Amino acid sequence: MNATLTLVSVFAIFIPALILPGPDFIAVVRSSMTRGTRAGLLTTMGVSMGLALYATLSLVGLSAVLVEYQLLAWTVRVLGGCYLIYLGFRLVFADARSIALADEGSAQRRNALLFGFLVTMTNPKAVVLFTSVFATAVTAQTPFWLLVLMIVLVTLSSLAWYTIVSLFMSSRPVIARFQHMRHRIERVAGVCFVAIGGKILADARNPISV
């Protein structure tokens, strides 16, 4: 398979999966609408770092390990689902005043970056995605430069898409319309995380396959 066909095969799967709303999308929207543009962009960076790490690990064989050792895959899913549920409940029961008084200091910036990274890294569906993506196109004969290029493109695609989402969701018209609903946005995001975490736990028995 030549380089062009490999890239088309990979990104024909990855790009639609990236655009479809999931935990990463919810994380970026939540940060952008409740903390502002800077927090949204930092969450975007965290999400992109997580996806880049998953892509790298997939290319060095993590996907094959998870397919071979289903108990490990089950553990990853359960821990990831539990974390998303925990995070969701924290958002649902967050103090409205703490949201309103949150500033954009260095601690808040670090939290936004870490928030995006952890949401991505504890989303076991990312493992399934990259297993599917790279299993369709990457072989032992795939040149190293092409593997590196795919990781770079995964990262840049994520940065581009979630930057657009963040800038839109933190724009003045959007914030002006939803400025009195920040606590509700937190709660909605929390409910979504709980639902996604619950779905992940419900699907944990299903084996990862390529």
Side-chain angles (χ1 to χ4, degrees):
M1 186 180 294
N2 62 43
T4 301
L5 186 56
T6 298
L7 290 176
V8 170
S9 300
V10 168
F11 286 91
I13 300 171
F14 176 73
I15 296 300
L18 177 69
I19 294 174
L20 288 173
D24 298 341
F25 182 87
I26 296 169
V28 172
V29 169
R30 174 259 178 185
S31 291
S32 301
M33 296 188 71
T34 63
R35 309 291 183 185
T37 302
R38 181 177 295 181
L41 292 176
L42 284 166
T43 301
T44 292
M45 290 178 60
V47 167
S48 300
M49 289 167 55
L51 290 175
L53 181 56
Y54 263 130
T56 303
L57 292 175
S58 296
L59 290 174
V60 300
L62 175 64
S63 297
V65 170
L66 291 175
V67 171
E68 181 69 23
Y69 300 98
Q70 291 294 327
L71 178 60
L72 178 59
W74 177 85
T75 302
V76 170
R77 287 179 170 185
V78 169
L79 291 178
C82 288
Y83 176 78
L84 291 176
I85 291 173
Y86 162 76
L87 179 61
F89 278 118
R90 283 194 60 185
L91 295 178
V92 168
F93 296 107
D95 183 358
R97 289 186 301 173
S98 68
I99 298 171
L101 296 175
D103 57 34
E104 288 296 325
S106 60
Q108 288 294 331
R109 292 195 293 271
R110 287 194 299 271
N111 289 341
L113 181 67
L114 184 61
F115 173 67
F117 181 76
L118 288 179
V119 166
T120 299
M121 293 307 298
T122 55
N123 177 16
K125 288 189 177 295
V127 177
V128 179
L129 168 64
F130 284 108
T131 300
S132 302
V133 167
F134 293 114
T136 60
V138 176
T139 68
Q141 288 71 44
T142 303
F144 178 75
W145 68 265
L146 185 56
L147 301 182
V148 174
L149 179 59
M150 283 191 286
I151 294 172
V152 171
L153 291 177
V154 163
T155 307
L156 292 179
S157 299
S158 174
L159 283 171
W161 168 243
Y162 287 120
T163 294
I164 293 171
V165 172
S166 178
L167 292 177
F168 176 76
M169 290 300 178
S170 62
S171 62
R172 287 187 178 182
V174 173
I175 294 300
R177 184 168 183 176
F178 294 100
Q179 62 181 340
H180 301 300
M181 300 177 61
R182 296 173 70 187
H183 188 46
R184 292 183 183 178
I185 293 168
E186 291 274 63
R187 287 184 172 180
V188 170
V191 170
C192 290
F193 280 129
V194 170
I196 292 171
K199 181 65 165 57
I200 289 170
L201 292 181
D203 293 340
R205 296 181 181 178
N206 300 328
I208 290 179
S209 59
V210 295

